[in-house]
Amino acid sequence: MIIVLAVALAGAIGGGVGTAQAEGNQGSGGSYDRQLLFYNHSYGVFDRETADAIEHSDYLRDFANFQVRTTTGSGGQTWTGRYLIGRETYLELLGIGDVPGQDGTLGSAGLGLSVERAGELATVKERLKAEGVAEPIDFLQTRDFGDGVPVPWFDAVFTDAQYDAFGAWGMEWRPEYFADPRSNTEPPSFPGDVGRERYLSDDYRTHLMRDVTAVRIAVTAGDLGDTVPLLRAGGFSVRTVTGGGVVAEGGGTTIRLDVVPREQAGYRQVDMSLNRPVKDRHVERIGNSTLTVGPGSHAVWTFAKNGTTGTTAR
């Protein structure tokens, strides 16, 4: 699911957190003994040719638990996404205009990081203050299943109310959503289980794709500066890379954010694990993107820069 950021942050008051503090995993409150936030999903907005090719791809329907759906969230906002769903993680792929306003422009992207146990988002918010975010911004996302009655879906926290093209948020699924039979979620595996595996179905088992192991997204310097404190507060190990970007590691999914001007921002690459190894290498061209599956138990999906026909170098 996407958060319509412009709507979620409308009227919120928050100052930027400034330059990203990218080394290590220690804020003013000291080092963190465990990771609380984990990669849940990420989304990107692509040119219409690529979005339509993804939507109508027969190969993707075999490769992954693949869905196309329109969702109604808080404030009646709707968006249409194409979803590749794994065991604990998933991808959300949109075309220009599939989500309203700023979030539906070419190159927009987002990153959802979730907790696994009830109540842990509150700890993340306390850690954010140690990372220099004086007033984390709270948001409740709801979902309308079609009867006009919003169901609490998840709580979210942001570091800032301003962004260029990329936003990241911490999140915790609400018990009301798990309790609604229309959510098709699983029973808890332990008391307080609000984990990713419980939220997602087991339909991934009948397809190749298992989980997202790495994402690479190009973002502006300002958006990076607002994201690093959340990564650090979540317990990721964050280090700087050449060019001023960062790599965040932890919890099974590596997140790389490269710094670019706004006009070059956007989704670049996704790495995925497979449920079983494949012997041969398969290359599938999907609009202005290329999905390479195998050999072995790994797949890589590269996306062109803002609708050009070239793919991103690995």
Side-chain angles (χ1 to χ4, degrees):
M1 108 294 311
I2 191 175
I3 285 188
V4 183
L5 295 177
V7 174
L9 300 176
I13 299 174
V17 296
T19 303
Q21 304 172 32
E23 290 296 336
N25 191 36
Q26 182 172 340
S28 59
S31 59
Y32 305 124
D33 57 354
R34 63 191 179 93
Q35 187 164 347
L36 296 181
L37 290 178
F38 298 84
Y39 174 94
N40 183 290
H41 73 286
S42 54
Y43 76 85
V45 178
F46 305 98
D47 61 278
R48 179 51 55 185
E49 178 186 354
T50 301
D52 289 347
I54 292 170
E55 181 169 341
H56 299 291
S57 170
D58 291 333
Y59 183 81
L60 288 179
R61 284 168 168 78
D62 289 333
F63 173 73
N65 176 10
F66 181 84
Q67 301 176 14
V68 180
R69 66 173 183 266
T70 298
T71 304
T72 301
S74 295
Q77 294 292 328
T78 63
W79 62 91
T80 300
R82 300 139 193 86
Y83 299 86
L84 277 73
I85 303 170
R87 179 177 181 272
E88 293 184 316
T89 60
Y90 67 96
L91 303 174
E92 184 172 25
L93 312 169
L94 304 102
I96 297 171
D98 283 340
V99 59
Q102 178 182 351
D103 301 322
T105 58
L106 182 65
S108 292
L111 174 67
L113 307 171
S114 63
V115 299
E116 296 283 286
R117 294 178 179 271
E120 290 185 331
L121 191 62
T123 304
V124 171
K125 287 190 281 188
E126 289 303 311
R127 288 183 180 182
L128 279 173
K129 294 176 182 179
E131 297 294 342
V133 183
E135 297 182 4
I137 300 168
D138 294 321
F139 175 71
L140 169 63
Q141 178 67 288
T142 63
R143 182 172 181 181
D144 184 343
F145 284 100
D147 59 3
V149 180
V151 176
W153 196 355
F154 60 88
D155 292 310
V157 62
F158 299 89
T159 64
D160 200 347
Q162 304 296 322
Y163 63 100
D164 297 319
F166 174 82
W169 59 93
M171 55 189 290
E172 181 175 315
W173 305 114
R174 292 285 294 253
E176 298 95 327
Y177 187 79
F178 283 118
D180 194 307
R182 295 172 297 180
S183 69
N184 295 316
T185 53
E186 301 173 5
S189 297
F190 51 84
D193 180 8
V194 292
R196 300 165 295 166
E197 197 279 332
R198 181 186 177 192
Y199 176 78
L200 298 177
S201 79
D202 289 334
D203 289 348
Y204 75 93
R205 293 175 176 173
T206 60
H207 302 273
L208 265 181
M209 176 188 163
R210 182 174 180 85
D211 265 317
V212 176
T213 58
V215 293
R216 186 171 185 175
I217 305 172
V219 305
T220 67
D223 288 344
L224 178 68
D226 289 337
T227 302
V228 167
L230 181 66
L231 293 169
R232 287 164 52 87
F236 285 89
S237 175
V238 184
R239 59 182 173 85
T240 56
V241 295
T242 302
V246 302
V247 172
E249 298 177 303
T253 303
T254 298
I255 300 163
R256 175 161 180 163
L257 303 175
D258 298 315
V259 175
V260 298
R262 168 60 185 95
E263 61 272 16
Q264 297 176 21
Y267 226 70
R268 291 291 177 264
Q269 182 172 308
V270 180
D271 291 36
M272 293 163 280
S273 61
L274 305 180
N275 282 312
R276 59 185 183 277
V278 294
K279 181 179 180 181
D280 299 319
R281 178 175 183 262
H282 176 83
V283 178
E284 186 77 9
R285 185 75 175 177
I286 308 172
N288 295 309
S289 72
T290 303
L291 174 60
T292 303
V293 180
S297 300
H298 189 68
V300 179
W301 198 353
T302 55
F303 298 87
K305 295 181 178 179
N306 289 350
T308 63
T309 55
T311 55
T312 307
R314 293 185 60 185

